[in-house]
Amino acid sequence: MYKTLIDKLSKESFLTKEEYLSLIEHRDEVREYAAQKAREKCDQVYGKKIYIRGLIEFTNYCKNNCYYCGIRAENNKCERYRLTKEQILECAYIGYDLGFRTFVLQGGEDPYFTDEILSDIIKKIKTKHPDCAVTLSIGERSFESYLNLRKAGADRYLLRHETANKDHYEILHPANMSFDNRQACIEKLKRLGYQVGVGFMVGSPGQTYEDLANELIYLKKTEPQMVGIGPFIPHKDTPFAEKTAGSAELTTFLLSLIRLTLQDVLLPATTALGTVDYLGREKGIMAGANVLMPNLSPSSVRGKYLLYDNKICTGDEAAQCVECLKRRILKTGYEIVTDRGDYIQGSDKNEI
């Protein structure tokens, strides 16, 4: 029965909430089959290529107090830092020489980084390396801000929606943060022509299997170009310190369902997945993922950008991360490529 549902999803790329829920609840019976089908779909679109995005974590200051996050504003044990403009550019230039053609500027919601500062950084990267894409992951901003950064040359924007359930959103965030505003920001980004990435944590406090089924419905409705999911991992200095972490097995199964639902999507095997399971990123690839996001941040600050505990690769230099990943991914039968990793839809190519 459950294989029949996977076949239906593979063919039609959509199920009802009840069908998704049934698969999630009985995933042990169909996990390997789902992964096989998901990998086949990904190979049809992207071949044996695994794309890399160079992650530059440029500030761990944040004005928000999300209950799960280690860089939340009220965590006074967090050692704060901001990279200078020169340091950010150096990370990108080093990354280019290592084969990266997409750079992800990620940080907390830090008011210090104004549109003017960020626009200058984006323009400098794009001027020196016009063959590269710049992705931003800097949270909720105004329409005008998103417009300014788009005009500066930003191609893509990652804004995890966190959850499609408003009540669940309010479990994860303080009252001054708004589910409706998060959704409005995603719509603004789409209107401005960004290629948009969304995502959620698997196993976050208060999340149910029904919520996960609804996430898949939400993703189909939203049609993002990228989806980033990873297991919830608690941080010792947050209100969720004692909560139970999410699992690699459920995360990888959901990667397969996402691949079959959004067959062209760019789908990372995240660092969080590699943190809860040593082979998590490889398992993610075999379940249908096709993107990795190695860290290009200076090794001196990597241990300070900790959204959760026990994050991997905090002591490595950028070159170490890339060479290690290349060797590991080759063992799966796939290959990391020097490529922007454009989003492919049908026979058309669009930037992401």
Side-chain angles (χ1 to χ4, degrees):
M1 170 187 174
Y2 303 112
K3 281 189 176 182
T4 303
L5 285 180
I6 292 295
D7 288 337
K8 178 182 176 183
L9 182 58
S10 179
K11 181 179 180 180
E12 299 179 10
S13 71
F14 184 75
L15 296 175
T16 65
K17 185 182 83 170
E18 291 72 23
E19 288 171 328
Y20 280 126
L21 180 58
S22 180
L23 284 174
I24 293 167
E25 290 176 336
H26 299 91
R27 60 190 181 276
D28 287 344
E29 300 180 36
V30 77
R31 180 193 324 280
E32 291 183 8
Y33 188 66
Q36 174 194 331
K37 288 292 187 180
R39 196 61 259 168
E40 288 173 1
K41 285 294 181 184
C42 190
D43 289 355
Q44 286 173 17
V45 181
Y46 292 102
K48 296 291 185 179
K49 297 177 180 177
I50 303 300
Y51 302 111
I52 52 174
R53 280 55 170 122
L55 186 60
I56 304 172
E57 297 165 334
F58 65 94
T59 175
N60 71 348
Y61 283 86
C62 190
K63 67 181 184 182
N64 294 328
N65 268 306
C66 305
Y67 297 138
Y68 54 83
C69 185
I71 65 170
R72 62 197 307 268
E74 290 182 7
N75 181 10
N76 56 19
K77 296 181 181 179
C78 179
E79 186 180 349
R80 306 290 174 175
Y81 74 91
R82 291 184 180 106
L83 296 186
T84 65
K85 189 181 298 185
E86 291 72 26
Q87 286 176 306
I88 295 169
L89 294 172
E90 182 181 10
C91 290
Y93 301 157
I94 290 172
Y96 188 88
D97 290 339
L98 290 172
F100 289 87
R101 296 298 179 265
T102 294
F103 302 106
V104 181
L105 304 184
Q106 178 172 292
E109 292 194 21
D110 183 353
Y112 171 84
F113 282 95
T114 62
D115 292 355
E116 182 180 7
I117 293 172
L118 288 169
S119 293
D120 186 48
I121 293 167
I122 295 165
K123 288 175 182 175
K124 282 184 165 62
I125 293 174
K126 298 286 283 192
T127 298
K128 188 172 178 67
H129 295 304
D131 55 330
C132 289
V134 173
T135 302
L136 301 177
S137 181
I138 51 178
E140 297 177 7
R141 298 172 81 94
S142 68
F143 183 88
E144 291 73 22
S145 177
Y146 289 147
L147 175 61
N148 291 337
L149 300 175
R150 182 79 174 124
K151 286 180 177 178
D155 303 278
R156 315 167 181 165
Y157 205 105
L158 309 183
L159 182 62
R160 283 191 173 188
H161 66 285
E162 302 290 4
T163 172
N165 180 339
K166 186 173 183 177
D167 292 338
H168 184 220
Y169 184 92
E170 291 170 359
I171 292 173
L172 304 177
H173 302 90
N176 68 329
M177 295 186 70
S178 163
F179 172 87
D180 292 334
N181 189 60
R182 179 65 59 99
Q183 293 297 317
C185 285
I186 292 169
E187 289 304 312
K188 291 172 190 174
L189 293 164
K190 292 171 70 175
R191 281 170 53 200
L192 287 167
Y194 283 94
Q195 299 297 323
V196 177
V198 299
F200 58 91
M201 294 176 293
V202 178
S204 59
Q207 186 183 71
T208 66
Y209 284 171
E210 185 175 0
D211 286 329
L212 292 173
N214 279 324
E215 294 298 341
L216 294 161
I217 300 294
Y218 170 86
L219 292 176
K220 186 63 177 179
K221 177 183 175 182
T222 307
E223 292 283 348
Q225 284 75 38
M226 198 197 91
V227 177
I229 71 168
F232 162 74
I233 305 173
H235 187 289
K236 64 184 184 304
D237 299 321
T238 70
F240 288 168
E242 302 302 319
K243 300 294 185 180
T244 302
S247 71
E249 66 86 12
L250 180 53
T251 302
T252 52
F253 182 70
L254 288 168
L255 286 172
S256 296
L257 295 189
I258 293 169
R259 169 62 63 198
L260 293 172
T261 301
L262 300 172
Q263 298 180 359
D264 307 322
V265 77
L266 287 156
L267 193 60
T270 60
T271 300
L273 183 55
T275 296
V276 298
D277 184 327
Y278 176 72
L279 294 175
R281 287 175 293 185
E282 289 92 331
K283 291 177 181 178
I285 297 296
M286 299 313 296
N290 67 330
V291 174
L292 296 168
M293 298 176 69
N295 202 326
L296 293 179
S297 308
S299 56
S300 60
V301 302
R302 290 191 189 188
K304 301 174 185 178
Y305 197 89
L306 295 179
L307 309 186
Y308 50 83
D309 287 337
N310 304 313
K311 181 180 176 183
I312 56 174
C313 301
T314 56
D316 292 349
E317 296 290 348
Q320 287 177 287
C321 278
V322 176
E323 290 308 311
C324 173
L325 276 179
K326 284 182 177 178
R327 290 193 299 270
R328 293 175 64 162
I329 296 308
L330 276 174
K331 294 178 182 178
T332 68
Y334 290 82
E335 181 183 8
I336 288 175
V337 294
T338 299
D339 192 310
R340 282 174 49 128
D342 288 344
Y343 174 69
I344 301 173
Q345 188 171 28
S347 60
D348 297 322
K349 269 197 171 188
N350 301 301
E351 289 183 1
I352 180 168

